[in-house]
Amino acid sequence: MGDCMFLEINLESEIPIYTQIRNGIIKGIALGELKEGDGLPSVRQMAADMGINMHTINKGYNLLKQEGFLSIHRRKGVVVNSVDKYHYNNQYLEQLKSELEPLVIEAITRGLSKNALDDMVEDIVRTISGGEHG
Amino acid sequence: MDKFFMYYNAGMVFLVAAIMAFIPQFTRKDIAFGVSIPKGQKKRMPIRGWEVKYSLFVMIVGVILAVIILVVGDDETIIMWSLGVGFIILLSIIYGLYVYFHKKVKHFKRESGWREEAPGKIVVSLSSEDRKVKFSSWWYTIYLVILAGAFIIGYIKLPELPDMLETHFNAAGQVDGWMAKEQAVWMMPLTALGLSLVMFLAHLGISRAKFSIDPDDKKGSSQRQKKFRTKMALFIYVTGLTVLLNLAISHMMIITILPNDPRIIYAMIVLTVLVILVFIVSVFLMGQSGWRSSDKARSQGSETIIKRDDDKYYKLGSFYFNPKDPSLMVEKRFGIGWTFNFGNPLAWLITIAIITIIIISVTR
């Protein structure tokens, strides 16, 4: 079990809350703070603790469920899946490429070198390595 | 022996007054008389002065009432009423004082123009372990064992008993109440059942209450809150168990398994009060949500900015009403512990059920 795994939501950000929830949980899995089999708080509990509408939490959880990161059981509640449930497949690779394409193209257009781009990716990977999913 | 209850009543009234007198010292730093204020304002005048005045006044009232009870004497009828009347007077005065100072703080807040810091960040714990109260609900099976035992023993003994049982004795140790055995044998077990339900519900309420984390002290605030809740859960359990044992012993006396010795009852009362006192002191030392147990939590706060102002949901500073909040229980503002979210219909259901049970058992 992780050492006090916290999720931070920035209410003033342009990123919708359910997306922040999704990203935060994935990061937790990446850092190894959320392991296979770990239970997450119920939708109700999260909504009450955060003071946020249950629908928003539900949206985030459902997204993660569709993407294979979480399972929602009737009795056990919300549980983190094993890595084979969300391992990348061709469909994900295509989606990733289409999302990266505009970002990379814009960076190069703005004069960023490929090396600088590589360094940036490396930095990001470094923040989550050290966990089991390094 | 008959003077016991006179001293007991006076002592109880004084004790309750003493506890209520120091509530402002133990509530959170960002709340005064049910109004949310900037943390740094508690130590400054006029708020500090008001809290001191409140404490002094309540202590004085407590002493006066206790003295009156002692002076008024040890006549049986008086002893019977003095506790109830004493409490009613004490609590009415306390509530009146609270509302008075509540309004003063509210007015001062408006005049001072403190602003609420926009809640930019919210932090929540993803680990369900972190917020779980370290006191298992399974302990309550012991309650069930005692209850079952009381019911079963009563049922078995029923045929051997005389038709009328002695069910009440006065302060002088003389029996002054009888009841038909069919009713008397269930009196204590039913009360005990009601009590057990209330305690268990309180335990559940505490386990599921809203868990708020301070973004500026994530680890510390969540650890303190967990410790505080665990302690409160333990408190509720031990108090319930002690009272349950009291009822079990009274039950045994009614069905004549134990002798009608008043000294046993006195011993149980003293034990119960001691247990409750020990817990109240230790919980008060922790402060609401455990804020007193860390230096960081105690350190100076802003004098003009309020962290999270949900004044509008706390009517008169005490009754929390927020239909949008899915929580059933939230932290109390004036006092230590939790209160219902009256915007949640379940809160009304439970409150009405409890009041009904109390009315039924008192009028029987």
Side-chain angles (χ1 to χ4, degrees):
Chain A
M1 201 78 68
D3 162 48
C4 289
M5 171 65 193
F6 296 113
L7 177 65
E8 278 189 40
I9 303 290
N10 187 347
L11 291 175
E12 289 160 355
S13 164
E14 280 178 4
I15 307 174
I17 293 177
Y18 72 89
T19 307
Q20 291 187 52
I21 294 176
R22 174 195 173 269
N23 293 344
I25 291 178
I26 292 180
K27 187 166 183 181
I29 296 176
L31 285 166
E33 288 175 2
L34 288 175
K35 299 188 179 58
E36 173 186 345
D38 281 356
L40 290 173
S42 69
V43 175
R44 218 158 209 277
Q45 210 76 90
M46 272 260 229
D49 289 352
M50 284 207 247
I52 285 178
N53 199 304
M54 277 200 277
H55 294 301
T56 312
I57 315 284
N58 225 355
K59 211 168 167 183
Y61 273 11
N62 273 328
L63 209 52
L64 288 162
K65 178 175 141 189
Q66 282 168 20
E67 294 168 339
F69 292 100
L70 302 177
S71 295
I72 303 183
H73 302 280
R74 288 201 80 190
R75 275 200 301 159
K76 279 192 279 177
V78 186
V79 172
V80 177
N81 282 338
S82 63
V83 67
D84 48 278
K85 291 265 168 36
Y86 50 83
H87 192 76
Y88 72 82
N89 54 19
N90 284 334
Q91 186 191 9
Y92 172 71
L93 285 176
E94 281 180 29
Q95 183 199 337
L96 180 62
K97 191 167 179 193
S98 68
E99 283 177 24
L100 270 178
E101 209 175 294
L103 289 171
V104 171
I105 290 177
E106 178 182 346
I108 304 271
T109 311
R110 286 179 183 262
L112 212 64
S113 71
K114 183 176 172 298
N115 275 338
L117 213 51
D118 284 341
D119 286 343
M120 199 180 271
V121 172
E122 236 183 82
D123 282 341
I124 295 174
V125 172
R126 209 174 298 136
T127 63
I128 59 171
S129 68
E132 287 174 14
H133 296 249
Chain B
M1 212 57 95
D2 38 346
K3 286 205 183 267
F4 176 87
F5 278 107
M6 184 181 73
Y7 288 118
Y8 174 81
N9 291 350
M12 286 304 280
V13 168
F14 174 74
L15 203 61
V16 171
I19 292 172
M20 300 289 281
F22 289 105
I23 286 183
Q25 270 64 34
F26 302 108
T27 44
R28 290 164 45 185
K29 283 190 78 181
D30 53 358
I31 298 202
F33 294 107
V35 183
S36 68
I37 55 172
K39 278 190 186 165
Q41 284 291 336
K42 257 221 178 181
K43 290 195 177 165
R44 309 192 69 217
M45 300 296 280
I47 292 186
R48 181 154 175 243
W50 290 335
E51 292 193 334
V52 170
K53 277 193 194 147
Y54 165 88
S55 300
L56 272 175
F57 208 92
V58 172
M59 280 302 284
I60 292 174
V61 168
V63 169
I64 292 178
L65 282 174
V67 167
I68 292 180
I69 290 179
L70 289 175
V71 157
V72 148
D74 53 4
D75 176 77
E76 276 156 44
T77 346
I78 293 183
I79 290 186
M80 239 185 18
W81 290 101
S82 60
L83 190 64
V85 171
F87 271 138
I88 291 179
I89 297 178
L90 177 68
L91 294 174
S92 310
I93 294 180
I94 288 179
Y95 195 65
L97 273 174
Y98 164 80
V99 171
Y100 171 74
F101 284 114
H102 169 82
K103 295 205 165 127
K104 276 194 116 116
V105 175
K106 230 173 158 174
H107 183 77
F108 182 62
K109 176 176 176 176
R110 222 176 302 143
E111 303 265 291
S112 309
W114 299 320
R115 52 184 189 85
E116 179 186 4
E117 173 187 271
K121 266 199 295 188
I122 300 180
V123 176
V124 92
S125 171
L126 280 183
S127 148
S128 37
E129 259 308 300
D130 275 1
R131 63 187 319 289
K132 204 185 285 184
V133 166
K134 269 174 81 172
F135 186 81
S136 166
S137 312
W138 287 106
W139 282 102
Y140 280 87
T141 48
I142 296 184
Y143 277 38
L144 279 177
V145 167
I146 297 179
L147 275 173
F151 274 109
I152 292 175
I153 293 179
Y155 186 71
I156 292 179
K157 253 255 173 176
L158 194 55
E160 311 170 11
L161 295 170
D163 286 330
M164 293 300 269
L165 293 173
E166 298 167 351
T167 56
H168 195 269
F169 56 89
N170 61 16
Q174 297 157 333
V175 183
D176 64 355
W178 290 266
M179 207 188 276
K181 68 173 174 181
E182 291 79 13
Q183 285 182 314
V185 80
W186 304 127
M187 194 170 65
M188 291 297 169
L190 281 177
T191 313
L193 182 64
L195 172 81
S196 304
L197 280 172
V198 170
M199 288 313 191
F200 188 62
L201 274 175
H203 173 83
L204 286 181
I206 290 180
S207 308
R208 297 180 191 184
K210 180 192 200 115
F211 198 88
S212 10
I213 299 179
D214 181 356
D216 298 330
D217 182 16
K218 296 185 286 228
K219 206 158 173 186
S221 70
S222 56
Q223 276 174 352
R224 282 193 301 273
Q225 214 171 140
K226 179 175 175 173
K227 257 172 96 176
F228 178 72
R229 287 181 184 207
T230 303
K231 199 151 214 171
M232 288 298 273
L234 183 63
F235 177 20
I236 286 182
Y237 181 81
V238 173
T239 306
L241 193 63
T242 314
V243 178
L244 203 63
L245 285 172
N246 272 329
L247 290 174
I249 289 184
S250 301
H251 179 61
M252 304 279 229
M253 287 185 172
I254 289 177
I255 58 178
T256 65
I257 290 186
L258 279 178
N260 245 340
D261 192 341
R263 286 175 302 177
I264 300 182
I265 302 252
Y266 298 153
M268 288 304 289
I269 289 178
V270 170
L271 175 69
T272 307
V273 171
L274 275 175
V275 163
I276 293 180
L277 261 179
V278 164
F279 266 105
I280 287 183
V281 167
S282 67
V283 163
F284 266 52
L285 284 175
M286 284 185 95
Q288 172 71 312
S289 263
W291 71 266
R292 278 184 158 247
S293 40
S294 106
D295 290 322
K296 183 168 181 189
R298 277 201 252 208
S299 62
Q300 258 304 2
S302 156
E303 298 195 350
T304 51
I305 295 183
I306 301 174
K307 259 265 162 82
R308 199 168 192 187
D309 190 342
D310 39 9
D311 267 8
K312 58 181 182 279
Y313 298 124
Y314 285 89
K315 310 299 174 196
L316 258 189
S318 14
F319 300 106
Y320 186 77
F321 184 87
N322 184 0
K324 292 200 200 138
D325 188 342
S327 314
L328 176 63
M329 296 185 97
V330 296
E331 275 183 17
K332 255 190 180 172
R333 274 204 162 187
F334 190 69
I336 288 189
W338 293 268
T339 183
F340 276 133
N341 172 7
F342 287 105
N344 185 330
L346 191 56
W348 287 101
L349 268 170
I350 297 180
T351 308
I352 292 175
I354 293 180
I355 294 181
T356 315
I357 293 177
I358 294 177
I359 293 181
I360 290 180
S361 52
V362 162
T363 54
R364 253 190 178 282

